[in-house]
Amino acid sequence: DTEVTQTPKHLVMGMTNKKSLKCEQHMGHRAMYWYKQKAKKPPELMFVYSYEKLSINESVPSRFSPECPNSSLLNLHLHALQPEDSALYLCASSQGTVGTEAFFGQGTRLTVV
Amino acid sequence: GENVEQHPSTLSVQEGDSAVIKCTYSDSASNYFPWYKQELGKRPQLIIDIRSNVGEKKDQRIAVTLNKTAKHFSLHITETQPEDSAVYFCAPPEIMEYGNKLVFGAGTILRVKS
């Protein structure tokens, strides 16, 4: 199984809403990532979890809150987002060591209204 | 940190022609050089990668070449087909204690005209 599964595929939320994005992998990968991708731009790293601990936060605003409940799951909690946060949110996982492939989920298309 | 430049930003070729995309990086300690393909509305997927102990790697119509001295690596696609139309990203990782912090190039939009 080389799948990274993300839910939901699409999400529309108001600026006062609270929602969560979910990501799951069963490849035994110990590193998991959240990326944000705007249209016609490359993915931008937001967070890295290594062995279920947050190892990198790329100065992401606190309205985005990551969580790694266990080695297979990664969540991104959203609160008080702005319209400019509308984007494709990609989860990825890898074995973690440099030189190993990163597998991406299909993404959640988020629209903030 | 790693600085990555990718050229060209767009590339149009006739079906059957070859396409070459170049990626320049800054970190001389980098030792892993992947290329990702992202079709419209889909996830990025690794198509080929190379490690610093080799200069070239081929997989059917796709090849990657590495010049560590000049700090660049290139994606070569031969006999292009319409299904090769996509955005291609180089993404050399920034060296970290743990985890691949992929640093994506700006991307190259490849259009294969039939």
Side-chain angles (χ1 to χ4, degrees):
Chain A
D1 180 8
T2 58
E3 279 286 317
V4 176
T5 304
Q6 288 186 246
T7 55
K9 288 186 172 55
H10 301 274
L11 178 62
V12 179
M13 62 184 289
M15 289 187 284
T16 59
N17 290 160
K18 284 185 181 181
K19 296 286 184 183
S20 297
L21 309 185
K22 296 186 184 302
C23 175
E24 190 169 4
Q25 58 89 12
H26 296 287
M27 294 177 277
H29 289 170
R30 305 319 301 255
M32 296 185 76
Y33 314 80
W34 281 114
Y35 284 84
K36 173 182 176 180
Q37 187 175 26
K38 301 282 272 186
K40 299 185 179 181
K41 296 289 186 183
E44 293 179 26
L45 183 67
M46 300 174 71
F47 302 104
V48 180
Y49 272 83
S50 299
Y51 285 95
E52 302 161 45
K53 287 184 169 42
L54 183 64
S55 61
I56 292 181
N57 175 340
E58 292 285 278
S59 303
V60 179
S62 60
R63 56 186 185 269
F64 295 92
S65 175
E67 178 196 17
C68 189
N70 61 54
S71 60
S72 300
L73 295 174
L74 186 66
N75 299 323
L76 186 63
H77 303 297
L78 314 173
H79 173 54
L81 294 193
Q82 304 296 310
E84 57 266 28
D85 296 321
S86 299
L88 180 68
Y89 288 85
L90 293 161
C91 173
S93 72
S94 74
Q95 289 177 2
T97 52
V98 176
T100 57
E101 180 178 353
F103 292 83
F104 284 84
Q106 81 278 17
T108 294
R109 177 75 59 189
L110 174 68
T111 303
V112 182
V113 297
Chain B
E2 181 81 274
N3 290 318
V4 177
E5 291 188 7
Q6 185 176 336
H7 297 282
S9 57
T10 61
L11 180 58
S12 289
V13 299
Q14 203 65 36
E15 184 178 357
D17 287 351
S18 296
V20 181
I21 304 169
K22 183 177 177 179
C23 184
T24 303
Y25 61 94
S26 62
D27 188 353
S28 55
S30 293
N31 58 11
Y32 176 64
F33 307 94
W35 285 97
Y36 283 81
K37 174 184 180 183
Q38 187 174 28
E39 296 177 40
L40 190 63
K42 296 195 175 178
R43 73 189 81 188
Q45 289 192 289
L46 180 76
I47 55 169
I48 196 165
D49 57 16
I50 192 169
R51 288 166 175 77
S52 60
N53 57 340
V54 294
E56 182 176 2
K57 180 178 176 181
K58 285 184 180 178
D59 182 4
Q60 300 182 345
R61 297 186 298 107
I62 295 172
V64 55
T65 57
L66 172 64
N67 184 330
K68 280 218 80 180
T69 304
K71 289 192 275 188
H72 65 74
F73 61 111
S74 297
L75 176 68
H76 305 256
I77 305 175
T78 58
E79 300 172 33
T80 53
Q81 299 169 6
E83 54 264 35
D84 295 328
S85 295
V87 182
Y88 292 82
F89 296 102
C90 62
E94 191 168 307
I95 304 298
M96 297 165 45
E97 181 176 345
Y98 197 84
N100 274 331
K101 180 182 173 181
L102 297 178
V103 181
F104 283 84
T108 297
I109 301 171
L110 174 64
R111 296 190 184 93
V112 180
K113 297 175 285 186
S114 55

